[in-house]
Amino acid sequence: MTKVESSKVNVEPTLTPTVTRETQKNDYLTIPKPHANGVFGSSFFDSPSLSFEPNLRIATPTNYILGPDDELAINVSGYQETNIKTTIGPEGTIFIPQVGAIELSGLRIDDAIARIKNKMAQTAYPSLKNNLSRLTVSLGKIRSIHITAIGAYKPGNFTVSSFTTVYNALLACGGPGDINSYRNIELLRNNKIFTTIDLYQFLTRGDQKGNVVLKDGDVISFPVFKKHVSISGQVKRGGTFELKDNENLEDLLFFAGGYTDKAYKAQITVKQITDLERKIRTIYRADIPNYKPLDGDEFRVDGVLDRIENGVTISGPLYRAGDYELTPGLTVGTLVQRAGGLTEGAFTDRATLTRKHPDGTLDNVTFNLTEILNGRAADIPLVKYDAVNIATSAEFKTLYTIQIEGEVKKPGAYPYKANLSLKDIFFAANGFTDAASSYRVEVSRRLTTERLNKDVDSIAIVLVLNTDKDLAVESNRFILQPNDVITVRRNPAYIEQQKVFVEGEVYYPGTYVLESKSEHISSILKRTGGLTALAYPKGIYLIRHTPLDNEEAQAIIQNIQKNLKDSTSKVIEDVSKTNFKIPINLDKVLNKPGSIEDYQLLDGDQILVSRIDPLVKVSGQVLSATKTGFIEGKPLNYYLTQAGGTTERARKSKIYVLYADGHVKRTRNGFFGLFRSYPSIQTGAEIIIPRRIEKVGVSPTEVITLTTGMVSALTLIVLTVTSLRK
């Protein structure tokens, strides 16, 4: 045995790198678009989730044919080691240092590996002969090929990987066009039909026959379809299908997924297209395998009738009401037994049997079920489609109620029960409220006479009862009747505490409970300990909550805006409030307790005693709204000056002052507005200057028209007076 010398060629020994395959720029990724014709199979190409690119991470197929631009990763490991990456050139060869050129184009990958090993073993790598070294060859960057699609949804030339199969290419080009075939797709190689593809075999059976790897220059051709038919109704997958010439109606049913469980399989209706118009035809079950559909046929599979051909029905208070098979000798009595017998509350004195005659007319048969079940009456034989109905006793009973209102905890309507007493209904209503009067309970009872007495106008009987609030079982029970209305009156002596609130500059502010219905402001102020040293006697007012509906509020707002010609938001805000400020004249309240200005208080009233505010607020149409110090005796114009004066849009004739106690005074205008009297100012007051509404000017033409009209009117008056003097 010849000893082989160790040799290190080109590079130091390294581990075999992981091969990551890449392809050149390709046309796999496309934007799916819905096909307009809706033929079965078109949705396969409409899904955006499909991956159009072939899997490049699989092991190199042994039957892969090498060609130019394929990159090979050659690894020698063992006694001798090297890693080489080389690309097949345009001439079909690779070059390995110290080995030379090796022609590989057109070889299968396994044949190429054998040729590379033989060449390397004869030159620089003799250890490959006796397996002291191991050779592995894998594909790195694979080449791209060019194919063409004709008649596709997206026809044209495509650059794809050399791993691409026919199905990958079909997805890349969007499948057949709207008028092209899904059943006879042709793969042309070297100008000849290499294979044909039937997509329906793949979509219905998963058969990938014809899904071969493409080669450079291959052409995929989609011929125009020959036959489209549609099927609808009781099939699992209705729609339009493409059929071949040799396929029959049975094949169409297979593509449609077969019948549903409700299909009427005895016949199928088809609408055909003739030279002049349409015609309808019935295909019976025996003819389905022999009928070959025509282009444009429209098939419909109807459903079975929604009725039982050998059944009867029983309904009512039974344990198992429903449909039953009509067996020989079946009667009403035996049908009741099959249905599990009667439940509680069945009304058996009268039942009905609805029978349908062959001519479609209905017949109603009444019978006494009690007599039949006891054997005292002949049983009734049943026929097809009979329907037995048994009623319940409750259906013939009126559901009465008892109504309880007034001072009980749960007023409302309660179901009437026999032997129901007055105390029973109080117990059901959770007893009396604290305000209830047990000495004034009214029971209104409905009149139940069958004859009309024209002389009597009574519509109810009203009973006034006295009862205690104890809900213990009584010995002498007042029994209620259906539809009684019980009213528990309110105790006139019961009055809930009423509260008022005092805030501000008093010694003991807080909540106060009214001692009487007529308690006045003076009394409450005395209970608060009086005003503090910081209180402003002219800044005391009462806040009373009075709900105001929207219509009333809007009317008040419109009235103010109309009179003051002011559209500021403050007016709307103030009027819309439901809490009203009522000024309090402290001198009259304290000096004349109980007088008309010493208001009586109501529940929820609030008395606010303001602190002395040495400032006066100026707002509205002034140059700068501000607050300024109050100076005794200074007129209103002084405070306007402190705010920079009024703006051009100010309406001075409507200036008003809002005082600390809540009352308002407005400017008074004398003869033609020549003399104005402004309100006096107090500490804590607010001066409000409203905005003037802009007036639309009169055009010269309108002036001439008005003047002419006035002159004409004056002339007419003069002539009339002159004629009267004559």
Side-chain angles (χ1 to χ4, degrees):
M1 182 175 180
T2 304
K3 183 178 180 180
V4 181
E5 296 294 335
S6 176
S7 174
K8 294 184 179 180
V9 182
N10 297 332
V11 295
E12 294 295 327
T14 59
L15 295 175
T16 303
T18 302
V19 177
T20 302
R21 294 199 182 100
E22 300 177 357
T23 60
Q24 302 295 333
K25 180 181 178 182
N26 58 71
D27 298 317
Y28 292 123
L29 301 179
T30 61
I31 299 175
K33 297 179 181 178
H35 289 66
N37 55 12
V39 178
F40 172 67
S42 61
S43 61
F44 179 67
F45 301 97
D46 297 341
S47 175
S49 62
L50 288 173
S51 176
F52 299 151
E53 190 168 357
N55 187 6
L56 302 180
R57 303 189 62 175
I58 60 175
T60 305
T62 57
N63 61 348
Y64 179 76
I65 306 300
L66 295 173
D69 294 333
D70 279 339
E71 183 183 75
L72 298 180
I74 301 172
N75 175 260
V76 178
S77 60
Y79 189 76
Q80 293 178 289
E81 295 183 350
T82 187
N83 290 321
I84 300 171
K85 282 190 177 182
T86 181
T87 303
I88 299 176
E91 298 82 7
T93 61
I94 63 171
F95 180 79
I96 301 176
Q98 300 183 8
V99 175
I102 305 175
E103 186 174 351
L104 300 179
S105 182
L107 294 180
R108 289 156 46 105
I109 189 68
D110 49 355
D111 295 332
I113 293 173
R115 180 173 291 187
I116 293 171
K117 182 177 181 181
N118 183 52
K119 187 75 171 178
M120 294 179 71
Q122 292 177 1
T123 55
Y125 299 91
S127 59
L128 293 172
K129 288 182 179 181
N130 50 16
N131 295 326
L132 293 177
S133 296
R134 183 171 178 268
L135 173 69
T136 58
V137 179
S138 59
L139 280 173
K141 182 183 295 183
I142 63 175
R143 70 183 186 277
S144 297
I145 61 175
H146 300 280
I147 63 170
T148 303
I150 301 173
Y153 189 80
K154 180 185 175 185
N157 296 319
F158 295 84
T159 300
V160 295
S161 163
S162 56
F163 273 13
T164 301
T165 65
V166 172
Y167 279 39
N168 298 138
L170 293 181
L171 292 170
C173 67
D178 292 337
I179 64 171
N180 299 98
S181 175
Y182 290 77
R183 308 293 311 279
N184 190 32
I185 304 171
E186 298 174 347
L187 173 60
L188 303 178
R189 182 171 292 171
N190 298 326
N191 297 323
K192 294 181 181 179
I193 297 177
F194 182 77
T195 185
T196 58
I197 299 96
D198 184 353
L199 276 178
Y200 280 20
Q201 298 303 315
F202 172 70
L203 296 175
T204 57
R205 296 184 174 90
D207 184 0
Q208 296 192 46
K209 181 181 179 181
N211 187 25
V212 297
V213 178
L214 296 176
K215 289 188 175 182
D216 192 46
D218 280 353
V219 176
I220 299 176
S221 175
F222 298 88
V224 176
F225 73 84
K226 293 183 179 180
K227 187 189 299 183
H228 275 180
V229 298
S230 64
I231 187 168
S232 61
Q234 295 298 323
V235 289
K236 296 176 182 175
R237 184 170 49 219
T240 303
F241 296 84
E242 180 185 344
L243 295 184
K244 294 182 177 181
D245 290 336
N246 60 342
E247 291 177 334
N248 54 38
L249 181 53
E250 202 168 46
D251 295 317
L252 175 61
L253 288 172
F254 171 75
F255 294 142
Y259 296 108
T260 66
D261 54 354
K262 296 182 180 180
Y264 179 61
K265 304 176 184 178
Q267 64 186 41
I268 297 176
T269 304
V270 58
K271 291 182 180 179
Q272 298 176 327
I273 298 176
T274 66
D275 295 338
L276 181 62
E277 57 188 1
R278 285 181 175 271
K279 70 175 182 179
I280 192 168
R281 180 178 173 183
T282 301
I283 311 299
Y284 296 98
R285 181 182 300 182
D287 299 327
I288 289 177
N290 303 320
Y291 180 79
K292 291 187 177 181
L294 304 176
D295 187 29
D297 278 359
E298 297 179 4
F299 296 90
R300 176 167 182 80
V301 179
D302 294 322
V304 296
L305 298 177
D306 191 18
R307 67 179 186 180
I308 302 174
E309 63 179 9
N310 64 334
V312 293
T313 303
I314 186 169
S315 60
L318 300 121
Y319 286 101
R320 293 184 179 88
D323 298 325
Y324 287 88
E325 178 187 3
L326 177 64
T327 56
L330 185 66
T331 62
V332 169
T334 55
L335 181 60
V336 171
Q337 295 177 2
R338 285 191 186 180
L342 299 169
T343 62
E344 297 80 3
F347 183 77
T348 58
D349 291 343
R350 188 182 185 91
T352 59
L353 167 65
T354 302
R355 177 162 292 171
K356 186 175 183 180
H357 296 289
D359 60 356
T361 59
L362 297 177
D363 191 10
N364 187 65
V365 180
T366 58
F367 56 90
N368 190 315
L369 183 59
T370 303
E371 298 292 324
I372 290 178
L373 296 179
N374 294 335
R376 293 193 295 266
D379 208 343
I380 302 174
L382 298 176
V383 299
K384 184 168 62 175
Y385 306 138
D386 275 357
V388 178
N389 180 52
I390 303 170
T392 60
S393 300
E395 295 177 21
F396 301 98
K397 295 180 179 179
T398 303
L399 298 178
Y400 297 108
T401 59
I402 300 294
Q403 185 78 23
I404 184 167
E405 301 172 350
E407 297 299 329
V408 290
K409 294 179 180 177
K410 286 179 61 178
Y414 292 84
Y416 170 77
K417 303 171 186 176
N419 203 33
L420 185 70
S421 72
L422 185 62
K423 285 291 186 71
D424 292 335
I425 202 68
F426 290 153
F427 180 78
N430 288 355
F432 299 90
T433 65
D434 294 339
S437 172
S438 60
Y439 302 102
R440 186 75 180 183
V441 177
E442 292 184 358
V443 178
S444 301
R445 182 159 293 171
R446 182 180 296 179
L447 294 174
T448 56
T449 179
E450 295 185 0
R451 294 185 179 182
L452 178 63
N453 188 346
K454 297 181 179 179
D455 298 330
V456 178
D457 62 353
S458 299
I459 59 175
I461 300 174
V462 179
L463 305 173
V464 181
L465 306 175
N466 294 333
T467 182
D468 54 51
K469 296 183 179 181
D470 185 8
L471 296 180
V473 178
E474 71 275 26
S475 56
N476 186 16
R477 307 175 71 214
F478 181 85
I479 304 301
L480 299 173
Q481 294 184 9
N483 300 314
D484 277 356
V485 178
I486 299 102
T487 305
V488 179
R489 299 298 179 188
R490 187 181 183 88
N491 186 348
Y494 180 83
I495 300 176
E496 294 181 354
Q497 292 94 331
Q498 298 182 5
K499 302 175 183 178
V500 296
F501 308 92
V502 182
E503 299 178 7
E505 295 300 324
V506 293
Y507 283 102
Y508 301 105
T511 303
Y512 288 83
V513 177
L514 295 178
E515 295 178 347
S516 67
K517 294 181 180 179
S518 60
E519 187 164 6
H520 295 266
I521 295 175
S522 57
S523 173
I524 291 295
L525 291 179
K526 184 181 296 184
R527 291 167 61 183
T528 63
L531 277 61
T532 67
L534 297 177
Y536 181 43
K538 294 184 178 180
I540 303 176
Y541 55 89
L542 171 70
I543 298 178
R544 177 163 293 173
H545 178 75
T546 304
L548 186 68
D549 59 34
N550 290 333
E551 293 184 1
E552 183 179 356
Q554 289 298 326
I556 296 174
I557 292 171
Q558 292 175 2
N559 185 39
I560 292 177
Q561 291 178 339
K562 180 179 179 181
N563 291 330
L564 296 182
K565 295 183 173 55
D566 183 10
S567 59
T568 57
S569 59
K570 180 172 178 57
V571 174
I572 299 175
E573 180 182 352
D574 289 344
V575 174
S576 299
K577 289 181 179 179
T578 56
N579 293 329
F580 294 92
K581 294 174 64 174
I582 303 172
I584 296 176
N585 191 325
L586 185 62
D587 292 338
K588 293 184 178 180
V589 166
L590 298 180
N591 295 329
K592 295 182 179 180
S595 64
I596 191 172
E597 293 192 12
D598 187 12
Y599 307 125
Q600 292 183 1
L601 296 175
L602 301 178
D603 186 33
D605 279 354
Q606 181 180 0
I607 299 173
L608 184 61
V609 180
S610 301
R611 176 179 292 214
I612 296 176
D613 185 0
L615 300 175
V616 174
K617 182 179 179 181
V618 184
S619 61
Q621 294 300 314
V622 290
L623 294 181
S624 177
T626 185
K627 280 189 174 183
T628 186
F630 171 75
I631 300 178
E632 186 71 32
K634 289 291 184 180
L636 183 142
N637 283 330
Y638 166 77
Y639 297 99
L640 295 182
T641 304
Q642 300 301 310
T646 58
T647 66
E648 294 180 353
R649 296 182 178 180
R651 194 172 190 198
K652 298 180 181 180
S653 61
K654 298 297 181 180
I655 294 176
Y656 55 96
V657 177
L658 179 63
Y659 294 95
D661 61 357
H663 76 274
V664 180
K665 287 186 178 180
R666 55 177 291 181
T667 300
R668 296 185 179 277
N669 297 285
F671 182 74
F672 288 104
L674 296 178
F675 305 100
R676 288 178 184 158
S677 174
Y678 293 110
S680 61
I681 307 302
Q682 298 176 0
T683 180
E686 179 180 0
I687 304 170
I688 301 173
I689 300 89
R691 179 178 178 178
R692 183 180 65 229
I693 298 177
E694 299 295 336
K695 296 182 179 180
V696 180
V698 182
S699 65
T701 303
E702 292 175 332
V703 172
I704 295 173
T705 303
L706 292 173
T707 304
T708 304
M710 293 176 63
V711 171
S712 300
L714 290 173
T715 303
L716 181 61
I717 294 172
V718 172
L719 293 175
T720 302
V721 173
T722 303
S723 61
L724 289 174
R725 288 180 176 178
K726 291 179 179 181

